[in-house]
Amino acid sequence: MPVLGIETSCDETAVALYDRRRGLLAAALHSQIALHRQYGGVVPELASRDHVRKLLPLVARMLDEAGIRGAQLDGIAYTHGPGLVGALLVGASLAHALAAVWGVPVLGVHHMEGHLLAPMLEDDPPQPPFVALLVSGGHTQLVAVAALGRYRLLGESLDDAAGEAFDKAAKMLGLAYPGGPAIAKLAERGDRTRMRFPRPMIDRPGLDFSFSGLKTFTLNTIADCRTQSADGALSERDRADIAAAFEEAAVATLVIKCRRALEQTGMRRLVLAGGVAANRRLRHLMAAMVAEQGAELFYPRPEFCTDNGAMIAYAGALRLHQGERSTGIDIQPRPSLEALPPIDLAG
Ligand code: KG4
Ligand code: ZN
């Protein structure tokens, strides 16, 4: 029988049913994008309240459509962090309440492990060992995956996450939240060669990232273009060219660090995961680099790159199967990937 996955760490209310033998059986998602758009970003209090409104009906409808009763489930998995505490509490509370009512086990799952394992839901899943680049709105991490559940952090962002940098640059250009897809769309019309933005931290050894300098450079470039324009406003051409230059620099930085991580670890497989992994330019340039290295590239379909219930149901199904349990509401705003127990697929 399947495991119910519940994801409420940020601005998506997402649920799914994953069965270890039959695969993904159902998934449903309610996006809060329209709710937060007028504020230019996620408002935590509004996010929590909307999860309260949407989560239970979403679970009930999905189970109903799948013809599964709650008491038949193998368990319930929910995101326990990282994320917005109030939003996480909504998913955790409902998961524990339903588990008590239905008499099934329940487990809090690490959101970034969910992202990292999302490519395992595809037809051609990556076999460890591999390097994983986790690029979301809140995190930018390079992880060496020796086996499922055995993670070593190779590097991470010292300031803004990659997705956050996209979101902030988008705001500067007057684009709507979420900024990543908006920048990518505008960049398609831009000239990628007109301006060259800095590739942060590529001259320094190591695998950490920094995106705040790129943000400042973007702000200064916008100011320069405004000064040079007759009416003090950004032309459509300038906006598209800035979006393109920003995307080129952000993506090039990620590609360079991933190449370094493959070289340093000697691993031959690279996995992209998290919302920014939906970026087409990133996939394209990463594929070229990986081919040059004689390595292989894996990434989930776009809807499994951004937050979703399937990745939580999947990670939860593996861990519940090996007996892991959460005894009480278990919220961890900053959990460690490296401290997780290994996953035994043979069991
Ligand atoms: O993983 P995710 O859905 O949520 C977090 O866990 O943070 O990632 C959301 C982030 C946002 O910053 C969004 O702008 C970015 O992923 N994103 C993209 C694209 N689609 C989503 N960034 C660049 N290009 C995209 N196509
Ligand atoms: Zn996420």
Side-chain angles (χ1 to χ4, degrees), residues 7 9 111-112 115 136-137 274-275 305-307 311:
E7 158 62 37
S9 67
H111 181 77
M112 298 314 288
H115 276 305
S136 70
C305 285
T306 44
D307 289 346
M311 67 185 196

Side-chain angles (χ1 to χ4, degrees), residues 171-194:
K171 218 170 181 177
M172 294 174 202
L173 288 169
L175 296 167
Y177 160 85
I183 290 253
K185 192 154 169 253
L186 184 58
E188 276 173 26
R189 290 191 268 127
D191 175 356
R192 295 183 185 275
T193 58
R194 182 179 145 205

Side-chain angles (χ1 to χ4, degrees), residues 9-12 111-112 115 135-139 162-164 166-167 178-181 184 247 274-280 305-307:
S9 67
C10 190
D11 59 343
E12 323 278 359
H111 181 77
M112 298 314 288
H115 276 305
V135 268
S136 70
H139 292 81
E164 194 179 354
F166 270 90
D167 293 338
E247 184 176 49
V276 183
N279 185 279
R280 283 174 48 195
C305 285
T306 44
D307 289 346

Side-chain angles (χ1 to χ4, degrees), residues 54-71:
K54 300 292 170 23
L55 181 56
L56 185 55
L58 207 59
V59 170
R61 193 169 353 117
M62 181 178 65
L63 286 178
D64 200 38
E65 284 171 11
I68 290 171
R69 281 182 294 110

Side-chain angles (χ1 to χ4, degrees), residues 74-152:
D74 269 353
I76 302 176
Y78 61 93
T79 300
H80 71 180
L84 304 170
V85 174
L88 292 167
L89 275 169
V90 177
S93 310
L94 189 74
H96 279 271
L98 292 177
V101 171
W102 291 334
V104 300
V106 56
L107 179 68
V109 169
H110 194 304
H111 181 77
M112 298 314 288
E113 180 176 53
H115 276 305
L116 193 156
L117 295 178
M120 305 302 288
L121 292 160
E122 302 298 351
D123 287 342
D124 176 25
Q127 293 302 317
F130 56 76
V131 170
L133 174 70
L134 307 180
V135 268
S136 70
H139 292 81
T140 303
Q141 297 180 321
L142 265 168
V143 183
V145 180
L148 296 193
R150 281 185 54 212
Y151 309 124
R152 185 165 56 89

